[in-house]
């Protein structure tokens, strides 16, 4: 999910131009009147169309692949496959009827590379190209560009510049083989990757401030393309005219111009242009057939502008219904209240916290309770992307959810899981915390092979084996279905650093070592040990000899409470902001009450803003009556009257600019002003962990894009 307000309207509108070019490519609109102009349009300019569609795919998909991994490509692939299959079902029978039956071998080649009907090669191209590029991306952008360029050059020498390679005997043989295998060199292996990469790279660059210079650059590149196209034609080099040396340059500047245009997105144009793209060959066949039937071939087909208009008109008509089939809304409309995540802050915190750890200790990202309210999936994906290989959750269901979204590595379930959960644990390779000998035996009895970590209670007295009972601690080792891969405890008093707390921590560490030692004495190996969570790490520094630290709250750039002492003051960045819309602004005269029970009384001419967020969204009711507040236009406004389930009132008398539709920030950055969640926790007399984990499930969680 991205909530980035990238202006994509330019890209959407150009789809119309692109499909007109594709249709031109297949009909030759100026064929009968001006052959050179026709060449210019169909064999040079129209070649921008397919690379444009490819670059757009790269533009939207690759930055997400980089951030969240290749799993995000799945829905796109599914959609492409469905469209391709649908188109194949439409065109294969048609091909047979027209008497162009491919041999089985040709059919395989067509499906894999060429597209089952001439322009459908786009689908295998985008499919293959994305597979290639998504993997090349791992080696860095530069190597991806370099390798894709090499592929493009190979394609080029079998296309517009075939004349060059045909002249060299060894290259000739190579291309003979290539054509036999792939049909043409413009297929997914050679043409698509460079344009996909180009789109992906462009998406990560800032949008230019001024349009004019980019337009000039585009014009220059287009001139180059035309010149190159004419040269290729005059030298008679081309086998096909799909690929030109200057085409990537043109595409780069074209995309840059389009994304600079401040136009709103047009999702309907996307569906329409896709329908047009798939259906127009049907119209080509239709128009030709009709013309023949009516004896009008010499007019309808041979007069090329007329032919082009007939094809475009009928294709547009056929695609018209798709204009109203708007694509599934993927961006959540932020009309009420929402949570805004900053992925850059999360990766910053990860880097900072990891830098505290010695090489033997790994950071285990604690993602319980939907990643402390932030949204577990995107957070897990980002952590995985940044190299984190161990995760912790509270329940088996939370772990399952992560696995279903492609999270690999260790997933430790910190809470108790009853034996009935064993199938789930085993199926999704979750590592279960075992809390007592009875728990171990009960899981053993289920017969499912399970990896487990032993939890030792060293003083918190919440969950775990007693540190004193060595024999009990050894039970899991005697269970053939259980594989003990960890031994851990959770400290009870790391939040403060007074003498008493430090003594308590020291005692708990001693108890843990006693427990570990008793395993050794009984002849068992001591598995991976871990003890500390955020505060332990921040206050005491990492403990030696530990396999993990389980970092939760610090990962999100938050302290549990602003009162906690932190020895290591790290510049952690808060990841989450909570915002809601002002829905109404009302003026009250002095003496006028407001809210249920009239708990607010205007003492001066007052402006009240109604905001669409309430305690069902996680704003504690205890923030009522002026205890809490929010930022509007960078200024603090107190909550007045009582917080309702879905709404609350802010006194905005001192922020006169407030109007309906404005955003109120309950925590996070508003312009240059910042309201911390620690402040909100203090006002509500709780800790940030509670506030975060109680944020309402109905709040959309959006992830800002990096730029
Ligand atoms: C929640 C939890 C953590 C993470 O704690 P933070 O203070 O958020 O870092 C670590 N270990 C256990 C057992 C937990 O339940």
């Amino acid at each position: 999910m991205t909530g980035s307000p990238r202006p994509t309207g330019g890209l959407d509108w150009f789809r119309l131009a692109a499909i007109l070019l594709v249709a031109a490519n297949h009909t030759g609109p100026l064929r009968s009147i001006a052959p050179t102009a026709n060449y210019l349009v169909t064999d040079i300019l129209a070649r921008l169309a397919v690379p444009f569609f490819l670059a757009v795919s790269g533009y939207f998909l690759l930055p997400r692949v980089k951030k969240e991994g290749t799993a995000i490509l799945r829905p796109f692939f599914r959609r492409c496959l469905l469209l391709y299959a649908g188109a194949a079902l439409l065109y294969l029978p048609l091909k047979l009827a027209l008497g162009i039956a491919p041999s089985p071998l040709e059919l395989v080649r067509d499906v894999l590379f060429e597209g089952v009907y001439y322009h459908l090669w786009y689908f295998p191209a985008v499919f293959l190209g994305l597979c290639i590029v998504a993997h090349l991306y791992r080696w860095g952008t530069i190597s991806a560009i370099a390798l894709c360029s090499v592929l493009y050059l190979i394609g080029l020498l079998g296309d517009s510049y075939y004349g060059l390679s045909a002249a060299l005997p060894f290259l000739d043989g190579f291309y003979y083989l290539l054509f036999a295998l792939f049909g043409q060199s413009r297929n997914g292996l050679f043409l698509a990757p460079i344009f996909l990469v180009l789109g992906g790279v462009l998406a990560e660059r800032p949008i230019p401030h001024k349009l004019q210079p980019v337009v000039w650059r585009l014009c220059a590149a287009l001139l180059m393309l035309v010149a190159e196209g004419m040269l290729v034609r005059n030298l008679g080099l081309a086998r096909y005219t799909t690929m030109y040396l200057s085409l990537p340059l043109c595409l780069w500047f074209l995309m840059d111009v389009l994304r600079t245009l401040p136009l709103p997105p047009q999702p309907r144009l996307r569906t329409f242009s896709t329908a047009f793209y798939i259906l127009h060959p049907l119209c080509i066949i239709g128009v030709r057939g009709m013309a023949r039937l009516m004896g009008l071939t010499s007019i309808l087909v041979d007069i090329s502008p007329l032919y082009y208009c007939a094809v475009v008109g009928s294709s547009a008509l056929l695609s018209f219904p798709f204009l109203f089939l708007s694509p599934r809304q993927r961006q959540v409309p932020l009309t009420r209240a929402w949570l805004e995540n900053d992925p850059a802050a999360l990766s910053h915190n990860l880097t900072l916290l990891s830098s505290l750890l010695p090489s033997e200790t790994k950071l285990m990202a604690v993602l319980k309770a939907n990643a402390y309210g932030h949204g577990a999936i995107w957070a897990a994906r980002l952590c995985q992307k940044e190299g984190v290989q161990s995760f912790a959750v509270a329940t088996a269901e939370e772990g399952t959810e992560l696995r279903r979204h492609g999270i690999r590595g260790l997933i430790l379930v910190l809470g108790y899981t009853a034996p009935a959960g064993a199938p789930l644990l085993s199926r999704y390779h979750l590592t279960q915390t075992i809390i007592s000998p009875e728990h171990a035996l009960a899981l053993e009895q289920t017969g499912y092979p399970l990896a487990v970590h032993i939890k030792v209670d060293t003083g918190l007295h919440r969950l775990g084996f007693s540190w004193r009972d060595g024999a009990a601690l050894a039970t899991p080792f005697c269970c053939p279905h259980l594989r003990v891969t960890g031994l851990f405890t959770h400290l009870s008093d790391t939040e403060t650093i007074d003498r008493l707390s430090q003594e308590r921590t020291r005692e708990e560490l001693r108890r843990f070592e006693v427990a570990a030692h008793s395993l050794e004495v009984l002849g068992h190996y001591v598995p991976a040990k871990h003890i500390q969570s955020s505060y332990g790490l921040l206050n005491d520094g990492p403990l030696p000899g530990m396999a993990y630290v389980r970092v939760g709250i610090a990962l999100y750039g938050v302290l549990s409470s602003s009162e906690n002492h932190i020895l290591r003051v790290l510049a952690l960045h808060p990841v989450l902001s909570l915002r809601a819309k002002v829905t109404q602004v009302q003026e009250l005269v002095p003496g006028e009450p407001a809210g249920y029970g009239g708990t607010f009384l205007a003492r001066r001419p007052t402006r009240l803003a109604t905001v669409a967020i309430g305690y069902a969204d996680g704003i504690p009711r205890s923030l009522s009556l002026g205890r809490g507040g929010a930022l509007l236009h960078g200024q603090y406004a107190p909550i007045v009257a009582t917080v309702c389930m879905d709404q609350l009132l802010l006194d905005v008398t001192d922020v006169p600019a407030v109007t309906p539709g404005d955003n109120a920030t309950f925590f996070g950055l508003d312009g240059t002003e910042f309201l911390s969640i620690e402040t909100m926790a203090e006002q509500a007399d709780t800790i940030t962990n509670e506030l975060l984990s109680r944020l309402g499930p109905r709040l959309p969680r959006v992830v800002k894009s990096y730029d």
Side-chain angles (χ1 to χ4, degrees), residues 339 370 372-374 576-578 613 615-619 667 677 680 688-699 701:
L339 290 162
N370 201 19
Y372 293 49
H374 291 64
L576 198 64
S577 304
L578 173 60
I613 190 168
Y615 55 75
D617 302 297
I619 299 287
F667 56 79
I677 187 169
M680 188 178 186
T688 55
N689 308 46
E690 182 182 1
L691 290 184
L692 286 171
S693 61
R694 294 179 67 151
L695 290 167
R698 76 178 174 194
L699 292 175
R701 284 158 171 81

Side-chain angles (χ1 to χ4, degrees), residues 364-368 372 392-394 412 414-415 433 455 460 462-463 488-491 494-495 530-536 549-556 558 560 689:
M364 183 185 283
V366 182
L367 301 171
K368 60 191 181 191
Y372 293 49
V393 290
L412 175 62
L414 295 168
T433 295
K455 174 84 176 275
L460 182 62
R462 196 170 69 177
L463 282 184
F488 76 105
T489 188
H490 193 43
L491 301 173
T494 52
E495 309 227 330
H530 48 112
I531 298 178
Q532 289 175 314
S533 51
S534 296
Y535 274 95
V549 282
R550 305 181 303 271
V551 184
I553 195 78
L555 209 51
Y556 308 105
V558 172
S560 292
N689 308 46

Side-chain angles (χ1 to χ4, degrees), residues 61 73-90 110-113 116 120 122-128 130-131 274 278:
L61 293 171
L73 291 177
R74 271 180 226 150
F76 178 79
F77 280 159
R78 213 174 299 138
R79 226 172 28 247
C80 276
L81 214 61
L82 222 68
L83 280 172
Y84 189 36
L89 282 180
L90 184 66
D110 285 358
V111 167
L112 286 183
F113 301 114
V116 283
L120 292 178
Y122 174 76
F123 289 103
V126 77
F127 205 92
L128 267 173
L130 270 174
C131 288
T274 308
I278 292 180

